[in-house]
Amino acid sequence: MTARLITTVTDTGSTGRSLTFNIFRFDPLESGDKPKMVSYSLDETPGMTIFIALNRLREEQDSSLQFDFVCRAGICGSCAMVINGLPTLACRTLTTRYPKGEITLMPLPGFELIGDLSVNTGKFMRQLAERLQLWLHPREGDQSIHALEQAMDPDEAARLYELERCVECGVCVSACATRQMRDTFVGAVGLMKIARFELDSRDGRSLEDFYHVIGNQDGVFGCMTLLGCQDNCPKDLPHMQQIAYLRRKMAMTLL
């Protein structure tokens, strides 16, 4: 019985199997540098995530390795990258998910490359916010700083909270085939945020106002519904539900 238990633990890789990491390396600021794949070997430890492995590689083998992280808990969205072909968060991905022990890491496509696995998602999110005006537009008469805070229905607050869980990691953008073919497409993250303000009773914009922002092929009607955003979102947000909701709302403005 004991031997069978030991075998099971060994199969999950928690007793120190050797992992191979094939990592994309390129520094656009370094003169003469060219994109390449570099392989590293590392002994697996119990509970190891891709994030932990990358930190060990940088500390023990290559201090020049570039990647992003802040919270280490799946909240900041900074450590998003492509792991064995799928975009996700490094801090929430256990190395035991890969029984062969070979892991390939690439930067998220669709964003400006800073270096190696680090991309500038912040620049994209800022431009998106300015383009779609992703902030609350108060109704007329609601802008007095002396007025009491408007009460909100608990059900509405819960719906808004669900859409506010987005951590702007960029995974849905990189997983979107439409976005990869047309860089003017706002992507699921933009549509999710628009849906959040359309649902907010405090926002004074009309359906026609939202239609002028996303009622085109770069907006809600350009989505090919391939479910890349829904399938890969690390926060399990209802992207397709909200895109379908916005489509119905935008179509109503044409009647």
Side-chain angles (χ1 to χ4, degrees), residues 27-244:
D27 188 346
L29 298 180
E30 184 177 334
S31 179
D33 194 21
K34 296 181 179 180
K36 55 186 176 294
M37 299 297 295
V38 179
S39 295
Y40 302 88
S41 294
L42 189 69
D43 290 337
E44 189 176 38
T45 55
M48 176 180 278
T49 62
I50 301 296
F51 164 80
I52 293 174
L54 284 171
N55 274 278
R56 281 191 54 192
L57 288 174
R58 185 156 65 182
E59 293 172 1
E60 301 171 9
Q61 300 186 34
D62 192 339
S63 61
S64 68
L65 182 61
Q66 299 182 65
F67 59 95
D68 299 317
F69 69 93
V70 177
C71 73
R72 303 182 295 177
I75 298 174
C76 71
S78 300
C79 65
M81 60 187 66
V82 179
I83 305 175
N84 279 15
L86 294 176
T88 189
L89 298 180
C91 67
R92 298 185 63 181
T93 305
L94 293 169
T95 55
T96 52
R97 290 183 54 183
Y98 308 101
K100 294 183 179 180
E102 185 162 342
I103 301 170
T104 299
L105 304 179
M106 301 285 291
L108 290 181
F111 297 97
E112 177 185 342
L113 179 69
I114 296 175
D116 300 338
L117 303 175
S118 175
V119 296
N120 196 342
T121 55
K123 180 178 179 180
F124 170 83
M125 296 299 173
R126 180 184 179 88
Q127 292 174 342
L128 187 69
E130 293 174 348
R131 174 184 171 187
L132 301 182
Q133 300 184 25
L134 298 176
W135 54 83
L136 189 71
H137 293 235
R139 296 178 180 274
E140 292 186 12
D142 292 346
Q143 301 181 36
S144 173
I145 62 174
H146 304 291
L148 294 176
E149 183 177 357
Q150 180 180 345
M152 179 178 289
D153 181 79
D155 290 337
E156 179 183 348
R159 291 195 297 271
L160 294 182
Y161 172 75
E162 174 69 6
L163 305 187
E164 287 281 11
R165 291 193 301 107
C166 174
V167 296
E168 299 185 355
C169 60
V171 165
C172 64
V173 177
S174 294
C176 177
T178 306
R179 169 69 191 180
Q180 299 311 312
M181 292 188 295
R182 189 168 67 253
D183 59 8
T184 54
F185 181 61
V186 300
V189 60
L191 297 174
M192 177 71 69
K193 290 178 178 296
I194 285 289
R196 176 253 181 272
F197 288 109
E198 198 282 329
L199 285 169
D200 197 326
S201 60
R202 300 167 299 174
D203 197 292
R205 284 173 287 186
S206 65
L207 287 180
E208 288 74 15
D209 294 328
F210 288 114
Y211 181 84
H212 289 303
V213 177
I214 60 167
N216 50 47
Q217 288 300 306
D218 287 336
V220 71
F221 296 122
C223 173
M224 297 188 294
T225 61
L226 298 178
L227 304 182
C229 54
Q230 186 87 15
D231 293 341
N232 293 281
C233 178
K235 306 301 287 186
D236 296 322
L237 293 172
H239 290 290
M240 293 313 305
Q241 175 185 337
Q242 297 307 315
I243 291 174

